Amino acid sequence: MKILAFETSCDETSVAVVENGKNVLSNVISTQIDIHREYGGVVPEIASRHHIENIMPVFTEAMRQAKCSLDDIDYIAVTNTPGLIGSLLVGLMFAKSLSWANKIPLLPINHINGHIFSNFIENDIELPAVSLVVSGGHTNLYYIDEIDKEIKITLLGETLDDAVGETYDKIARVLRLPYPGGPEIDRLSKNGKDILQIKKPKVEEYNFSFSGIKTYITNYVNNEKMKGNTISKENVAKSLQEIVSEVLSEKVLKVMKNMKVNTILVSGGVSANGRLREKFREISEKENVKVIFPKLEYCTDNAAMIGCAAYYELKNKGMYLDNTEDNYKVDAISTKGE
Ligand code: KG4
Ligand code: ZN
């Protein structure tokens, strides 16, 4: 089964063709990072306009690389929430038009589900599993199990304030590093020392909080500046990497032990982080559990993960959707679950 997938929720225009939820025939990503860097973050209006310019060439290239025509496509999947409204609308309207004109059923997909299923691309996953999604807008912890041939995803916890990626990006701004801050901090930390005494946030159950860490580092940088001291960006970066990987892995370990889970899935833009990957590798060896990270191209926003999530949603429904009109009547934008 071939699914043509679209992802335009933020500043990446991406189109992919995914076969049977695992085999990525193409995954073309056009990123606008260089355009938004000038402003220190994503400007929604600019992002929407670039999606309009990019969607047609990206779609054409994805079909060319996958060596297929629309006749070969069984379903069209598209991110419909959460994200920037103008950006989402571009992908959604394009996908809807293709679906309607070619009578190919349309599947609306939640962006976070896309990140969860990015771990399933090219991997055989043993369930139950604990899934940690760490992106620019979300820090969510899930329990995933298969019951009666249906994959059930249960939200266990989430951030009560800032997301991890957001924390990286905001601290990078304080350090006057370019957007997006995550990869910059990851790179600088390699030459730094963990010198800041950042306290672990006290958050109940499986929830997270990162605003205290952000405030601590912001105050540290401002105080040192006022005293006329030079700051080692490398040391600040290293200290942030240590506290973040400690906080995230601690909660995952808690779920693993309480719920007797032996598979850990980590996904989302921040799952590209070097220290986080290293930390979970250590856990994998120490606890004898399987830890799965997506390939780097499936960590940050991409359409392959949307195609993969769509495949599993279909599987949950018994792989069945008829070609009645209802399949083309997808709500423009759902605001549920944001
Ligand atoms: O998943 P994603 O592409 O978009 C959202 O759904 O939000 O994640 C983007 C986030 C940004 O905050 C970016 O700084 C962060 O992922 N990120 C990283 C790294 N690469 C991207 N954070 C830490 N280390 C990285 N290597
Ligand atoms: Zn994302």
Side-chain angles (χ1 to χ4, degrees):
M1 177 203 289
K2 288 194 180 79
I3 298 181
L4 169 65
F6 291 85
E7 157 61 43
T8 63
S9 67
C10 191
D11 58 345
E12 264 93 27
T13 317
S14 182
V15 182
V17 180
V18 183
E19 194 175 35
N20 299 331
K22 257 199 174 53
N23 192 10
V24 179
L25 303 182
S26 66
N27 182 40
V28 180
I29 306 168
S30 167
T31 180
Q32 304 176 16
I33 283 180
D34 288 344
I35 294 158
H36 297 282
R37 185 167 284 147
E38 202 182 315
Y39 307 95
V42 179
V43 184
E45 174 67 16
I46 295 177
S48 316
R49 285 169 188 266
H50 281 284
H51 283 306
I52 291 171
E53 282 173 16
N54 294 340
I55 190 112
M56 191 68 197
V58 171
F59 159 66
T60 310
E61 181 58 17
M63 294 301 278
R64 193 192 65 79
Q65 285 184 18
K67 295 188 180 63
C68 58
S69 74
L70 284 169
D71 289 341
D72 306 315
I73 301 296
D74 299 292
Y75 293 94
I76 295 176
V78 58
T79 306
N80 76 326
T81 193
L84 302 173
I85 193 98
S87 294
L88 284 165
L89 272 169
V90 177
L92 211 95
M93 290 308 129
F94 194 94
K96 254 184 136 168
S97 310
L98 269 185
S99 155
W100 186 80
N102 297 282
K103 297 278 174 267
I104 305 171
L106 185 66
L107 303 163
I109 300 295
N110 182 293
H111 180 78
I112 307 304
N113 272 5
H115 278 304
I116 294 173
F117 282 100
S118 66
N119 287 112
F120 288 62
I121 302 173
E122 295 166 10
N123 286 316
D124 289 320
I125 307 288
E126 231 172 79
L127 296 177
V130 49
S131 158
L132 172 70
V133 179
V134 275
S135 71
H138 293 81
T139 308
N140 293 356
L141 203 49
Y142 299 93
Y143 176 78
I144 307 181
D145 203 0
E146 190 165 354
I147 301 163
D148 295 334
K149 293 193 174 165
E150 248 191 63
I151 295 181
K152 295 244 189 285
I153 302 173
T154 312
L155 180 70
L156 300 174
E158 60 194 326
T159 182
L160 302 178
D161 39 58
D162 292 359
V164 197
E166 187 183 356
T167 308
Y168 268 96
D169 295 340
K170 285 180 176 167
I171 290 174
R173 248 185 130 129
V174 171
L175 294 173
R176 299 193 189 283
L177 296 170
Y179 171 84
E184 290 292 324
I185 289 179
D186 196 8
R187 187 177 55 79
L188 282 177
S189 71
K190 296 196 173 89
N191 299 317
K193 291 195 190 89
D194 179 17
I195 49 123
L196 301 191
Q197 307 288 316
I198 310 174
K199 284 206 188 92
K200 256 191 267 172
K202 286 198 185 114
V203 191
E204 294 200 343
E205 299 295 328
Y206 300 122
N207 291 325
F208 301 96
S209 165
F210 293 97
S211 69
I213 295 172
K214 180 190 67 187
T215 308
Y216 181 94
I217 294 184
T218 308
N219 288 344
Y220 167 80
V221 172
N222 290 339
N223 285 337
E224 291 302 302
K225 269 191 195 156
M226 275 194 290
K227 286 185 211 155
N229 297 338
T230 36
I231 305 147
S232 159
K233 292 183 185 180
E234 289 81 1
N235 288 351
V236 174
K238 177 70 181 166
S239 305
L240 175 63
Q241 294 269 83
E242 286 309 310
I243 187 78
V244 163
S245 52
E246 178 63 30
V247 166
L248 293 173
S249 59
E250 195 177 66
K251 289 278 158 125
V252 170
L253 273 170
K254 196 168 156 185
V255 179
M256 237 184 66
K257 299 215 159 130
N258 288 350
M259 304 180 91
K260 305 204 171 19
V261 180
N262 291 320
T263 308
I264 299 172
L265 312 175
V266 190
S267 62
V270 184
S271 69
N273 188 270
R275 180 62 186 122
L276 197 64
R277 285 178 173 241
E278 190 181 68
K279 185 92 182 174
F280 275 101
R281 260 199 305 274
E282 289 162 15
I283 289 176
S284 166
E285 278 167 25
K286 197 163 157 236
E287 305 285 335
N288 195 24
V289 291
K290 196 158 186 193
V291 178
I292 292 165
F293 277 85
K295 262 192 192 166
L296 287 181
E297 71 168 299
Y298 306 132
C299 288
T300 42
D301 292 347
N302 66 89
M305 67 184 195
I306 302 301
C308 184
Y311 173 83
Y312 285 96
E313 281 200 11
L314 277 172
K315 221 173 151 191
N316 269 2
K317 289 177 187 144
M319 288 280 189
Y320 174 75
L321 258 187
D322 57 18
N323 276 9
T324 57
E325 279 296 299
D326 276 354
N327 291 328
Y328 311 102
K329 284 188 202 150
V330 173
D331 281 346
I333 297 285
S334 156
T335 47
K336 283 181 201 146
E338 286 202 37

